[in-house]
Each structure stands twice: as C-alpha cells, then as structure tokens.
Amino acid sequence: MGLTRTEIFTEEQNLLASLFKAMAHPARIAILQRIILSNTCICGDLVGELGLAQATISQHLKELKSAGLIQGTIEGVSVCYCINPKVWKLLENRLGEFLGSYKGTTECC
Amino acid sequence: MGLTRTEIFTEEQNLLASLFKAMAHPARIAILQRIILSNTCICGDLVGELGLAQATISQHLKELKSAGLIQGTIEGVSVCYCINPKVWKLLENRLGEFLGSYKGTTECC
DNA sequence: AATAATGATCGTAATATTGCGATGTAATTA
DNA sequence: TAATTACATCGCAATATTACGATCATTATT
C-alpha cells in the first residue's frame, strides 16, 4: 500500500495526472510564470526572487524538467531554462479537451 | 521543514497549485471523467468500475469535493455526485489564462 | 593553479499522500 | 425493530513530497 496503482488506469489518465502533479506546487507555478514572463530563460534569478533555498529551487526545476514542461541548457557558468513548447502545446490540448468535455448543461445535484 | 511554504506565494499561485493538486491523481481524473460522461450524478458505481476499495474512492471523492470541483447530495440511501459548474468554469478560465500566457514565439534554449 | 560562482546532488527530518480493512452512521427494507 | 445497503471515517503501514544544509562538479576569473 501507499503507492499509486497506475496500472489500473489508462495512459491518458496517468499522463494528465502526471502533468497536473508537476504543476501542483505554488513554487513550480511561480517558476513557470517567471520563465514565461521573461521569455528568454533564467535560473539563478529564481533563487533570489522566490524565497526558497537554492537546493529546493533546483529540486523543483528538476521535477518540471522531468515532466517535460521545461528544458535547460548550460550557458557558461549558469543554466538557462525555458518552456518546452511541444509539451506545453500538448498540455494545452489535452487540458482543453478534458475541461471542455464538461458542458454544464443539465443541473443535477 | 517538509511543509509547503504557502505564505511566500501569491493567492493566484496557491489557488492554481491546489486545483492542480486535486487533479494530480489518475483515480481522480478517472472519477471526473466518469462523472462528466454520465452527466447525471453517480457514486457507488465508481467503486465497481475503478479497481479501488470503497474507502479509497470515498477518500478521493472527499478531496475533489474539498477542492470544490464536485458536489454531492444525499439521495435516499446513496450519494449523488456531480461537477460544480462554478468552480469548473473558474478552473477553465484560470488555467486557460495561465497556459495561454505562454506564446511560444522566440525559440531560446 | 587557486579561487570564485553557479547549480546539481546527497542525506536527512518533517510532513503528506495513497491504499485498505475495520468500524461507524444514516436511510431503507424486511 | 432487525437486517441491509451505501457511504464516511478511523487507524495504520508503505511510500512520496518538501525543504534545507552540506558537499560535489563544472566553468569562469584571477
């Protein structure tokens, strides 16, 4: 017990859940917003701007990266992160589909 | 340590994160999909259809309810759940806004 | 080469999540 | 009223997440 039984769900359900999970933390939302804002990538800035330790930021970045939402390239001494356009589009599509599948027509409960 | 430092983030960031968190599990995605499918509410059916114990389903329903995504009303001996249209719309708007704020214009990393 | 700067990773403590059996509760049926 | 049905809640074990200090690796500067 204690671990998600992914095997009993569909690919789609697991994919959506994992994308949601990657964004299910205010720090990661903040990181994404910050990256989007200054379209051109950043990184060390994040440590200064969010009030979290460097190790913590790095960990959150890793999660976003392993979910595919962002990508990072080494740029001299620092690392430049930016949105992964492909995955972002996929997310937009799947999410739009999922959320849009509910047409609040008939009032029930 | 070990607990999310919500106080250092904005309302918006915390709200988005909590909505994502509510949906960050395949079982809860499955439950939402199932509720959406048969627009009219259900409940005990879920236990039969997803391969999880009744206690587990009940727990997931509670999380979805406390996030405001669904609502339940007692219907005789059983409980009828359905989407909370208001929160769903809010979710659609906020999410659309957030995802849409990225215009994959300039390629960077 | 020595030092500094930038991040990643490790180890650890605190807390949260997931899943389930067992039990409790309220309404329905016999 | 007793039994049944449909859920909720409790309590527990296994695992995951969050945060951070400390340390490691890599590149840049002196």
Side-chain angles (χ1 to χ4, degrees):
Chain A
M1 312 158 203
L3 80 172
T4 300
R5 298 185 47 196
T6 52
E7 74 282 1
I8 67 171
F9 302 105
T10 68
E11 283 283 332
E12 173 78 4
Q13 286 157 354
N14 285 314
L15 174 71
L16 271 176
S18 74
L19 287 172
F20 282 137
K21 195 172 184 177
M23 299 190 294
H25 194 287
R28 295 198 288 275
I29 299 284
I31 290 174
L32 291 173
Q33 287 178 332
R34 181 64 173 74
I35 293 182
I36 289 171
L37 195 67
S38 40
N39 194 2
T40 169
C41 327
I42 12 119
C43 180
D45 306 335
L46 290 167
V47 180
E49 295 175 22
L50 314 190
L52 291 171
Q54 182 266 321
T56 309
I57 299 284
S58 198
Q59 205 171 285
H60 283 304
L61 284 167
K62 191 181 177 186
E63 275 181 78
L64 287 170
K65 198 162 62 172
S66 76
L69 289 169
I70 63 174
Q71 55 199 189
T73 34
I74 300 170
E75 198 127 305
V77 77
S78 57
V79 176
C80 164
Y81 281 103
C82 66
I83 300 294
N84 180 331
K86 260 185 161 171
V87 178
W88 198 266
K89 291 302 173 216
L90 178 111
L91 180 65
E92 268 187 303
N93 291 339
R94 298 297 183 101
L95 230 80
E97 229 171 90
F98 174 56
L99 293 180
S101 69
Y102 170 68
K103 328 276 184 196
T105 44
T106 31
E107 274 291 322
C108 79
C109 313
Chain B
M1 309 159 205
L3 80 171
T4 300
R5 298 184 47 198
T6 52
E7 74 281 0
I8 68 171
F9 302 105
T10 67
E11 283 282 331
E12 175 78 4
Q13 286 158 352
N14 285 314
L15 174 72
L16 273 175
S18 74
L19 286 172
F20 280 132
K21 194 171 182 178
M23 299 191 293
H25 193 288
R28 294 197 289 273
I29 299 283
I31 289 173
L32 290 173
Q33 288 178 331
R34 181 62 173 74
I35 293 182
I36 289 171
L37 196 66
S38 40
N39 192 3
T40 168
C41 327
I42 14 122
C43 179
D45 306 337
L46 290 167
V47 180
E49 294 175 22
L50 315 189
L52 291 171
Q54 182 264 321
T56 309
I57 299 283
S58 197
Q59 206 170 282
H60 283 304
L61 284 168
K62 191 182 177 182
E63 275 180 76
L64 287 171
K65 198 162 61 172
S66 76
L69 289 169
I70 63 173
Q71 55 198 190
T73 33
I74 300 169
E75 197 124 305
V77 77
S78 56
V79 176
C80 163
Y81 281 103
C82 65
I83 301 293
N84 179 332
K86 259 184 160 171
V87 178
W88 199 266
K89 292 302 173 218
L90 178 112
L91 181 66
E92 269 188 302
N93 291 340
R94 297 296 183 103
L95 237 79
E97 227 172 90
F98 174 56
L99 293 181
S101 68
Y102 171 67
K103 329 276 184 197
T105 45
T106 31
E107 274 291 321
C108 81
C109 311

Short mmCIF file of all heavy atoms in Angstrom, two decimals, chain B residues 60-107:
data_model
loop_
_atom_site.label_atom_id
_atom_site.label_comp_id
_atom_site.label_asym_id
_atom_site.label_seq_id
_atom_site.Cartn_x
_atom_site.Cartn_y
_atom_site.Cartn_z
N HIS B 60 -10.89 9.86 -2.23
CA HIS B 60 -10.64 10.67 -3.42
C HIS B 60 -11.81 11.63 -3.68
O HIS B 60 -11.60 12.78 -4.04
CB HIS B 60 -10.42 9.77 -4.64
CG HIS B 60 -9.06 9.16 -4.69
ND1 HIS B 60 -7.90 9.89 -4.65
CD2 HIS B 60 -8.65 7.86 -4.76
CE1 HIS B 60 -6.85 9.08 -4.69
NE2 HIS B 60 -7.28 7.85 -4.76
N LEU B 61 -13.03 11.12 -3.47
CA LEU B 61 -14.20 11.97 -3.66
C LEU B 61 -14.15 13.15 -2.69
O LEU B 61 -14.47 14.29 -3.04
CB LEU B 61 -15.48 11.17 -3.43
CG LEU B 61 -15.87 10.23 -4.57
CD1 LEU B 61 -16.97 9.27 -4.14
CD2 LEU B 61 -16.33 11.02 -5.79
N LYS B 62 -13.73 12.86 -1.48
CA LYS B 62 -13.64 13.91 -0.47
C LYS B 62 -12.65 15.00 -0.89
O LYS B 62 -12.91 16.19 -0.71
CB LYS B 62 -13.18 13.29 0.85
CG LYS B 62 -13.29 14.20 2.04
CD LYS B 62 -12.77 13.50 3.27
CE LYS B 62 -12.79 14.40 4.49
NZ LYS B 62 -12.22 13.73 5.67
N GLU B 63 -11.55 14.58 -1.47
CA GLU B 63 -10.55 15.55 -1.91
C GLU B 63 -11.08 16.42 -3.04
O GLU B 63 -10.86 17.63 -3.07
CB GLU B 63 -9.27 14.84 -2.37
CG GLU B 63 -8.34 14.54 -1.21
CD GLU B 63 -7.08 13.85 -1.69
OE1 GLU B 63 -6.22 14.55 -2.24
OE2 GLU B 63 -6.96 12.62 -1.51
N LEU B 64 -11.76 15.78 -3.98
CA LEU B 64 -12.34 16.53 -5.10
C LEU B 64 -13.40 17.50 -4.59
O LEU B 64 -13.52 18.62 -5.09
CB LEU B 64 -12.96 15.57 -6.12
CG LEU B 64 -11.98 14.77 -6.96
CD1 LEU B 64 -12.70 13.69 -7.76
CD2 LEU B 64 -11.19 15.68 -7.89
N LYS B 65 -14.13 17.05 -3.58
CA LYS B 65 -15.18 17.90 -3.02
C LYS B 65 -14.58 19.07 -2.27
O LYS B 65 -15.03 20.20 -2.43
CB LYS B 65 -16.09 17.06 -2.12
CG LYS B 65 -17.42 17.71 -1.85
CD LYS B 65 -18.48 16.74 -1.34
CE LYS B 65 -18.10 16.07 -0.04
NZ LYS B 65 -19.22 15.29 0.53
N SER B 66 -13.55 18.79 -1.48
CA SER B 66 -12.99 19.89 -0.70
C SER B 66 -12.24 20.88 -1.57
O SER B 66 -12.06 22.04 -1.20
CB SER B 66 -12.11 19.36 0.44
OG SER B 66 -10.88 18.92 -0.07
N ALA B 67 -11.82 20.44 -2.76
CA ALA B 67 -11.22 21.37 -3.71
C ALA B 67 -12.31 22.17 -4.43
O ALA B 67 -12.03 23.13 -5.13
CB ALA B 67 -10.37 20.62 -4.73
N GLY B 68 -13.55 21.73 -4.25
CA GLY B 68 -14.67 22.43 -4.85
C GLY B 68 -15.03 21.97 -6.24
O GLY B 68 -15.95 22.49 -6.85
N LEU B 69 -14.29 20.98 -6.75
CA LEU B 69 -14.52 20.55 -8.13
C LEU B 69 -15.83 19.81 -8.30
O LEU B 69 -16.45 19.87 -9.35
CB LEU B 69 -13.35 19.68 -8.60
CG LEU B 69 -12.05 20.42 -8.82
CD1 LEU B 69 -10.90 19.45 -9.03
CD2 LEU B 69 -12.16 21.35 -10.02
N ILE B 70 -16.23 19.07 -7.27
CA ILE B 70 -17.50 18.35 -7.36
C ILE B 70 -18.35 18.67 -6.15
O ILE B 70 -17.86 19.23 -5.17
CB ILE B 70 -17.29 16.83 -7.45
CG1 ILE B 70 -16.61 16.29 -6.19
CG2 ILE B 70 -16.48 16.47 -8.69
CD1 ILE B 70 -16.53 14.78 -6.14
N GLN B 71 -19.60 18.29 -6.23
CA GLN B 71 -20.52 18.45 -5.10
C GLN B 71 -21.36 17.19 -4.98
O GLN B 71 -21.59 16.51 -5.98
CB GLN B 71 -21.40 19.69 -5.29
CG GLN B 71 -22.17 19.71 -6.57
CD GLN B 71 -22.68 21.09 -6.93
OE1 GLN B 71 -23.46 21.24 -7.84
NE2 GLN B 71 -22.24 22.11 -6.21
N GLY B 72 -21.78 16.88 -3.78
CA GLY B 72 -22.56 15.66 -3.59
C GLY B 72 -23.79 15.92 -2.76
O GLY B 72 -23.76 16.71 -1.82
N THR B 73 -24.87 15.26 -3.15
CA THR B 73 -26.09 15.37 -2.35
C THR B 73 -26.61 13.98 -2.03
O THR B 73 -26.54 13.07 -2.86
CB THR B 73 -27.19 16.15 -3.09
OG1 THR B 73 -27.07 15.89 -4.49
CG2 THR B 73 -27.10 17.62 -2.82
N ILE B 74 -27.11 13.85 -0.82
CA ILE B 74 -27.66 12.56 -0.39
C ILE B 74 -28.96 12.32 -1.12
O ILE B 74 -29.81 13.20 -1.21
CB ILE B 74 -27.86 12.55 1.13
CG1 ILE B 74 -26.52 12.79 1.84
CG2 ILE B 74 -28.48 11.24 1.57
CD1 ILE B 74 -26.65 13.05 3.31
N GLU B 75 -29.08 11.14 -1.67
CA GLU B 75 -30.25 10.79 -2.47
C GLU B 75 -30.78 9.46 -1.94
O GLU B 75 -30.41 8.40 -2.45
CB GLU B 75 -29.83 10.67 -3.93
CG GLU B 75 -30.96 10.71 -4.91
CD GLU B 75 -30.72 11.83 -5.94
OE1 GLU B 75 -30.52 13.00 -5.53
OE2 GLU B 75 -30.74 11.54 -7.12
N GLY B 76 -31.57 9.56 -0.92
CA GLY B 76 -32.04 8.34 -0.28
C GLY B 76 -30.88 7.68 0.44
O GLY B 76 -30.25 8.29 1.28
N VAL B 77 -30.60 6.47 0.02
CA VAL B 77 -29.53 5.73 0.68
C VAL B 77 -28.17 5.95 0.03
O VAL B 77 -27.14 5.71 0.65
CB VAL B 77 -29.88 4.21 0.71
CG1 VAL B 77 -29.63 3.58 -0.64
CG2 VAL B 77 -29.07 3.51 1.79
N SER B 78 -28.18 6.44 -1.17
CA SER B 78 -26.91 6.65 -1.85
C SER B 78 -26.60 8.14 -2.01
O SER B 78 -27.43 9.00 -1.69
CB SER B 78 -26.91 5.95 -3.20
OG SER B 78 -27.99 6.39 -3.98
N VAL B 79 -25.40 8.44 -2.51
CA VAL B 79 -24.99 9.83 -2.67
C VAL B 79 -24.71 10.13 -4.13
O VAL B 79 -24.08 9.33 -4.82
CB VAL B 79 -23.74 10.13 -1.84
CG1 VAL B 79 -23.25 11.54 -2.08
CG2 VAL B 79 -24.03 9.91 -0.36
N CYS B 80 -25.22 11.24 -4.57
CA CYS B 80 -25.09 11.64 -5.97
C CYS B 80 -24.06 12.74 -6.10
O CYS B 80 -24.18 13.79 -5.48
CB CYS B 80 -26.46 12.11 -6.47
SG CYS B 80 -26.40 13.05 -7.97
N TYR B 81 -23.05 12.49 -6.91
CA TYR B 81 -22.01 13.50 -7.12
C TYR B 81 -22.12 14.10 -8.51
O TYR B 81 -22.51 13.41 -9.45
CB TYR B 81 -20.64 12.87 -6.95
CG TYR B 81 -20.23 12.68 -5.52
CD1 TYR B 81 -20.28 11.42 -4.93
CD2 TYR B 81 -19.81 13.75 -4.75
CE1 TYR B 81 -19.91 11.24 -3.60
CE2 TYR B 81 -19.44 13.58 -3.44
CZ TYR B 81 -19.48 12.32 -2.86
OH TYR B 81 -19.12 12.15 -1.56
N CYS B 82 -21.76 15.35 -8.60
CA CYS B 82 -21.68 15.95 -9.93
C CYS B 82 -20.68 17.08 -9.91
O CYS B 82 -20.22 17.52 -8.87
CB CYS B 82 -23.04 16.43 -10.42
SG CYS B 82 -23.70 17.75 -9.44
N ILE B 83 -20.34 17.55 -11.09
CA ILE B 83 -19.40 18.66 -11.23
C ILE B 83 -19.98 19.93 -10.63
O ILE B 83 -21.17 20.18 -10.77
CB ILE B 83 -19.08 18.90 -12.73
CG1 ILE B 83 -18.49 17.63 -13.36
CG2 ILE B 83 -18.16 20.09 -12.91
CD1 ILE B 83 -17.14 17.24 -12.85
N ASN B 84 -19.15 20.71 -10.00
CA ASN B 84 -19.56 22.03 -9.55
C ASN B 84 -19.28 23.02 -10.69
O ASN B 84 -18.12 23.37 -10.93
CB ASN B 84 -18.77 22.42 -8.31
CG ASN B 84 -19.13 23.80 -7.79
OD1 ASN B 84 -19.56 24.67 -8.53
ND2 ASN B 84 -18.97 23.99 -6.50
N PRO B 85 -20.35 23.43 -11.38
CA PRO B 85 -20.16 24.21 -12.60
C PRO B 85 -19.36 25.49 -12.37
O PRO B 85 -18.50 25.84 -13.18
CB PRO B 85 -21.60 24.57 -13.01
CG PRO B 85 -22.47 23.61 -12.29
CD PRO B 85 -21.76 23.28 -11.03
N LYS B 86 -19.64 26.16 -11.27
CA LYS B 86 -18.95 27.42 -10.97
C LYS B 86 -17.45 27.24 -10.91
O LYS B 86 -16.69 27.97 -11.55
CB LYS B 86 -19.45 27.97 -9.63
CG LYS B 86 -20.46 29.08 -9.75
CD LYS B 86 -20.80 29.61 -8.37
CE LYS B 86 -21.41 31.00 -8.42
NZ LYS B 86 -21.95 31.42 -7.11
N VAL B 87 -17.01 26.27 -10.10
CA VAL B 87 -15.58 26.05 -9.92
C VAL B 87 -14.96 25.54 -11.21
O VAL B 87 -13.83 25.89 -11.55
CB VAL B 87 -15.32 25.07 -8.76
CG1 VAL B 87 -13.84 24.79 -8.62
CG2 VAL B 87 -15.87 25.63 -7.47
N TRP B 88 -15.71 24.74 -11.94
CA TRP B 88 -15.19 24.22 -13.20
C TRP B 88 -14.92 25.36 -14.19
O TRP B 88 -13.91 25.38 -14.88
CB TRP B 88 -16.18 23.21 -13.81
CG TRP B 88 -15.56 22.32 -14.83
CD1 TRP B 88 -15.54 22.50 -16.18
CD2 TRP B 88 -14.84 21.11 -14.58
NE1 TRP B 88 -14.87 21.49 -16.79
CE2 TRP B 88 -14.43 20.61 -15.84
CE3 TRP B 88 -14.50 20.39 -13.43
CZ2 TRP B 88 -13.70 19.43 -15.96
CZ3 TRP B 88 -13.78 19.21 -13.56
CH2 TRP B 88 -13.38 18.75 -14.82
N LYS B 89 -15.83 26.30 -14.23
CA LYS B 89 -15.65 27.46 -15.11
C LYS B 89 -14.43 28.27 -14.67
O LYS B 89 -13.61 28.68 -15.49
CB LYS B 89 -16.89 28.37 -15.09
CG LYS B 89 -18.14 27.76 -15.70
CD LYS B 89 -17.95 27.35 -17.16
CE LYS B 89 -19.16 26.61 -17.71
NZ LYS B 89 -18.82 25.51 -18.61
N LEU B 90 -14.33 28.46 -13.39
CA LEU B 90 -13.18 29.19 -12.83
C LEU B 90 -11.89 28.51 -13.22
O LEU B 90 -10.93 29.14 -13.67
CB LEU B 90 -13.29 29.25 -11.31
CG LEU B 90 -12.15 29.95 -10.60
CD1 LEU B 90 -12.62 31.26 -9.97
CD2 LEU B 90 -11.53 29.07 -9.53
N LEU B 91 -11.90 27.20 -13.08
CA LEU B 91 -10.73 26.41 -13.44
C LEU B 91 -10.39 26.59 -14.91
O LEU B 91 -9.22 26.84 -15.26
CB LEU B 91 -11.03 24.93 -13.15
CG LEU B 91 -9.93 23.93 -13.45
CD1 LEU B 91 -8.76 24.16 -12.52
CD2 LEU B 91 -10.44 22.51 -13.28
N GLU B 92 -11.39 26.50 -15.75
CA GLU B 92 -11.18 26.68 -17.18
C GLU B 92 -10.57 28.05 -17.47
O GLU B 92 -9.63 28.17 -18.26
CB GLU B 92 -12.51 26.54 -17.93
CG GLU B 92 -12.80 25.12 -18.41
CD GLU B 92 -14.01 25.06 -19.31
OE1 GLU B 92 -15.10 25.48 -18.85
OE2 GLU B 92 -13.90 24.57 -20.44
N ASN B 93 -11.10 29.08 -16.83
CA ASN B 93 -10.61 30.43 -17.07
C ASN B 93 -9.18 30.63 -16.60
O ASN B 93 -8.32 31.05 -17.37
CB ASN B 93 -11.51 31.45 -16.38
CG ASN B 93 -12.88 31.53 -17.02
OD1 ASN B 93 -13.05 31.12 -18.17
ND2 ASN B 93 -13.85 32.01 -16.29
N ARG B 94 -8.94 30.28 -15.34
CA ARG B 94 -7.62 30.49 -14.77
C ARG B 94 -6.56 29.68 -15.50
O ARG B 94 -5.47 30.15 -15.76
CB ARG B 94 -7.60 30.09 -13.29
CG ARG B 94 -8.52 30.90 -12.42
CD ARG B 94 -8.07 32.36 -12.38
NE ARG B 94 -8.92 33.13 -11.50
CZ ARG B 94 -8.56 33.50 -10.26
NH1 ARG B 94 -7.37 33.19 -9.80
NH2 ARG B 94 -9.38 34.19 -9.51
N LEU B 95 -6.93 28.46 -15.82
CA LEU B 95 -5.99 27.59 -16.50
C LEU B 95 -5.71 28.06 -17.90
O LEU B 95 -4.56 28.06 -18.36
CB LEU B 95 -6.54 26.17 -16.54
CG LEU B 95 -5.59 25.20 -15.90
CD1 LEU B 95 -5.73 25.29 -14.40
CD2 LEU B 95 -5.86 23.81 -16.38
N GLY B 96 -6.77 28.45 -18.57
CA GLY B 96 -6.62 28.96 -19.93
C GLY B 96 -5.71 30.17 -19.95
O GLY B 96 -4.82 30.30 -20.79
N GLU B 97 -5.95 31.05 -18.98
CA GLU B 97 -5.15 32.25 -18.84
C GLU B 97 -3.68 31.89 -18.63
O GLU B 97 -2.78 32.43 -19.28
CB GLU B 97 -5.64 33.02 -17.62
CG GLU B 97 -5.85 34.50 -17.81
CD GLU B 97 -6.54 35.07 -16.58
OE1 GLU B 97 -5.82 35.48 -15.65
OE2 GLU B 97 -7.80 35.06 -16.52
N PHE B 98 -3.47 30.98 -17.70
CA PHE B 98 -2.11 30.59 -17.34
C PHE B 98 -1.39 29.93 -18.51
O PHE B 98 -0.30 30.34 -18.90
CB PHE B 98 -2.15 29.65 -16.14
CG PHE B 98 -0.83 29.06 -15.76
CD1 PHE B 98 0.26 29.87 -15.48
CD2 PHE B 98 -0.67 27.68 -15.68
CE1 PHE B 98 1.49 29.33 -15.13
CE2 PHE B 98 0.55 27.13 -15.33
CZ PHE B 98 1.63 27.95 -15.07
N LEU B 99 -2.02 28.94 -19.08
CA LEU B 99 -1.39 28.23 -20.19
C LEU B 99 -1.23 29.15 -21.40
O LEU B 99 -0.23 29.10 -22.10
CB LEU B 99 -2.20 27.00 -20.56
CG LEU B 99 -2.23 25.89 -19.52
CD1 LEU B 99 -3.06 24.71 -20.02
CD2 LEU B 99 -0.83 25.42 -19.17
N GLY B 100 -2.24 29.99 -21.60
CA GLY B 100 -2.21 30.89 -22.74
C GLY B 100 -1.19 32.01 -22.61
O GLY B 100 -0.84 32.65 -23.60
N SER B 101 -0.73 32.25 -21.40
CA SER B 101 0.23 33.34 -21.20
C SER B 101 1.57 33.04 -21.85
O SER B 101 2.40 33.92 -22.04
CB SER B 101 0.42 33.63 -19.71
OG SER B 101 1.09 32.56 -19.07
N TYR B 102 1.77 31.79 -22.21
CA TYR B 102 2.99 31.45 -22.94
C TYR B 102 2.73 31.44 -24.43
O TYR B 102 1.95 30.63 -24.94
CB TYR B 102 3.51 30.08 -22.50
CG TYR B 102 4.64 29.57 -23.37
CD1 TYR B 102 5.88 30.19 -23.38
CD2 TYR B 102 4.46 28.45 -24.19
CE1 TYR B 102 6.91 29.73 -24.18
CE2 TYR B 102 5.48 27.97 -24.99
CZ TYR B 102 6.70 28.62 -24.98
OH TYR B 102 7.72 28.15 -25.77
N LYS B 103 3.35 32.38 -25.11
CA LYS B 103 3.27 32.37 -26.58
C LYS B 103 4.63 31.89 -27.08
O LYS B 103 5.60 32.64 -27.01
CB LYS B 103 3.04 33.79 -27.13
CG LYS B 103 2.24 34.71 -26.22
CD LYS B 103 0.77 34.50 -26.42
CE LYS B 103 -0.03 35.50 -25.58
NZ LYS B 103 -1.44 35.08 -25.44
N GLY B 104 4.69 30.70 -27.52
CA GLY B 104 5.96 30.11 -27.93
C GLY B 104 6.59 30.81 -29.10
O GLY B 104 6.83 30.19 -30.14
N THR B 105 6.84 32.10 -28.94
CA THR B 105 7.38 32.89 -30.05
C THR B 105 8.86 32.62 -30.28
O THR B 105 9.23 31.88 -31.18
CB THR B 105 7.16 34.39 -29.79
OG1 THR B 105 7.52 34.66 -28.43
CG2 THR B 105 5.72 34.78 -30.04
N THR B 106 9.68 33.23 -29.44
CA THR B 106 11.13 33.11 -29.65
C THR B 106 11.67 31.80 -29.08
O THR B 106 11.51 31.51 -27.92
CB THR B 106 11.88 34.27 -28.97
OG1 THR B 106 11.13 34.66 -27.82
CG2 THR B 106 12.04 35.44 -29.90
N GLU B 107 12.29 31.06 -29.96
CA GLU B 107 12.98 29.85 -29.52
C GLU B 107 14.17 30.27 -28.68
O GLU B 107 14.90 31.19 -29.06
CB GLU B 107 13.48 29.06 -30.74
CG GLU B 107 12.46 28.11 -31.34
CD GLU B 107 12.16 26.92 -30.44
OE1 GLU B 107 13.09 26.39 -29.82
OE2 GLU B 107 10.98 26.52 -30.37
#
